[in-house]
Amino acid sequence: MKDVIIIGGGVIGCGIARELARYTADIMLLERGNDVSVGTSKANSGIVHGGFDAKPNTLKAKYNVLGNAMFDSLSAELDFPFRRNGSMVLCFDEKHMDGLTELYNRGVANGVKDMYIIKGNAEIKKLEPHVTDAAVGALVVPTGGIVSPYEMTVAYAENAAVNGVEFRFLSQVTSVTRDKGGFTVSCADGYCEHAKVVINAAGVYADVINNMVCDEKLHITARKGDYVLMDKTCGYLADHTLFQLPTKMGKGVLVTPTTHGNILVGPTATDVEDKDNVNTTAGELNDAFVKAVVTVPSLSRRNIITQFSGLRAHLDGDDFVIGESSVAGFYNVAGIESPGLSCAPAIAVDIAESVAAKLGLAKKSFFEAKRKGIPQFSKLSNTEREKLIDQNPLYGKIVCRCEVVTEGEIVDSIRRPVGAKDLDGVKRRTRAGMGRCQAGFCTPRIMEIISRELGCDMQEVTKRGGVSNVVVGKTK
C-alpha cells in the first residue's frame, strides 16, 4: 500500500509531489500521458500574476499572493526560468479610469504591494514605448512576473523523483473506490494500487475523479484558449505583461514577453465539451491577434512562428476547490484555472503539510532541495562552452540552429530523472524545435538521438506520444 497517490502530472501534481517528498512516505504520481506537463501546464500564458484580479476573500486571491512571493526563491532552488518583469493594465478611455482604481483597491484588499496608477500616454510610454497612443492610463504592478510553465513542472518532477517519488505514466485512472484503510485506484492499463491518501490534481478531469468518490459532485468546463507566438525579433515590443482593462465589450487579450525572449499573444476563451480539444481555429487566432494589435500596433503577422491552444479547468462556482473532501483521506485540488500557475507553489506546500499532518509523517533527515537544470549552451560564454565541450564532446554538436541547442543537451534531457520520451518532451526541456523554423531543420536529427538513447526504432519515435508517429516506413 502506498501512503499517497497523486493523480495528475501537471504543475500542481508535480509541485505537491515535490513538497511531500520532504517527508518519509511512499508516494506515487499517476499520469495519463507519457510525460509530465502534457495538459494545461504546457499551454498557458506563463504569467505569475500580481494578485490584483482575483476577488477578495477567495482561494484564488489567497493563493495568488502567497504563491507569487515564493517564485524568486523557488526558481533559484529548482533552476527554472522566471523573471519579475512587472505587469500593466491599460485603459483606453478616460471614462473607464475608475476601473483601474477598482482593480487597485482589489489588489490592496488581497495584499498586493507596490502597485500604482499612472495617467497620460506620455507616462505610459516611459515604461512601454511601443504601446498604442490610445492608452490613457495604466495600473502598474511591479510584483507581476513571467515563468516557463513546462520547465517549472519538469523541475518539480525531477526534484520529486530524486527525493524518492515514483512516477507512473500512461496510467489513466478509471476508478477510485474507498476501502478499508484507504482507497483502491485502478487504471486503464490494468495497474491497480492501494493508498492511504489520494490527491486529485487531474486538471480538466478533476471533476471526473472527484465524482468517483464524493457525494458532493463537481462540474468542470474545459475552456479553450488560442495563442499566437511571435519570433524573438519582435521581443523588444513589450517588457511588462500588458493586460487590457476589462470592459463591457470583453476582457481583451494580453501581450507578454516570454522568459526566452518571444512575444506571446492571447488567450481567447471558448468553452468546449471535449476535454481533450486543443484544436486551434482561424477565427479565434485572428481574434486574439486583432485584439493584441489594439495594445501594440506594430505587431506584425509576418513575425508569427507558431499558434497553439490550451485548456483551462473552469469549475462551476468560479473558485478553486482545495483540501480534504468529505471523504476522509481524499483531497481535491480542482478548478485550477488562472491564476493557478501563480498559486501552484503555495497550494503545493499547503496540501503537503495537510497530508503529512493527517498521516503523521516525519520529515526526512535529508531532503535534496536543489535541482540543477540542463546547461544551456546558447547562454554560455565561449570559455564556458569550451570547458563544457572538454567534459562532454556532445556539447560541441549543434542540433537545433534556431535556439542553439546541442546534442549534449538533448541527450541530457532524455537521461535525466523523469526524462523526455518524444520530440515534444525534448522540446519542453531544451527548446530544440521552438525556434523560428519550428523544428523544420532539426527534427530528423532529434529523432535519431531519441531512437539511439531509448533503444527504439525511428518509426516508434513520436511527436507527443500515442499515435503521433512522425515516420511510418523506409523509402529504400
Side-chain angles (χ1 to χ4, degrees), residues 439-459:
F441 174 81
C442 59
T443 292
R445 183 69 186 114
I446 298 172
M447 290 177 65
E448 289 176 0
I449 296 169
I450 293 173
S451 173
R452 181 189 74 209
E453 292 297 313
L454 297 183
C456 65
D457 191 272
M458 285 270 285
Q459 295 177 68

Side-chain angles (χ1 to χ4, degrees), residues 302-353:
R302 66 185 176 187
N303 289 320
I304 295 172
I305 60 173
T306 193
Q307 300 162 136
F308 63 92
S309 182
L311 298 173
R312 290 101 86 183
H314 179 69
L315 188 66
D316 293 355
D318 205 32
D319 198 8
F320 301 153
V321 172
I322 295 175
E324 189 172 18
S325 70
S326 59
V327 178
F330 184 85
Y331 286 75
N332 273 314
V333 189
I336 309 300
E337 59 181 342
S338 180
L341 180 63
S342 314
C343 300
I347 293 173
V349 169
D350 260 15
I351 291 293
E353 290 179 349

Side-chain angles (χ1 to χ4, degrees), residues 217-273:
K217 304 305 180 186
L218 299 178
H219 179 259
I220 287 174
T221 301
R223 183 159 290 170
K224 185 170 73 72
D226 283 17
Y227 290 90
V228 177
L229 186 69
M230 316 295 290
D231 187 50
K232 291 180 180 179
T233 55
C234 59
Y236 67 93
L237 291 175
D239 186 57
H240 292 73
T241 298
L242 304 175
F243 297 93
Q244 298 173 356
L245 178 66
T247 67
K248 293 179 181 179
M249 300 302 293
K251 193 173 183 180
V253 301
L254 61 82
V255 176
T256 185
T258 70
T259 54
H260 295 285
N262 301 84
I263 290 290
L264 183 65
V265 166
T268 56
T270 304
D271 291 348
V272 292
E273 292 185 12

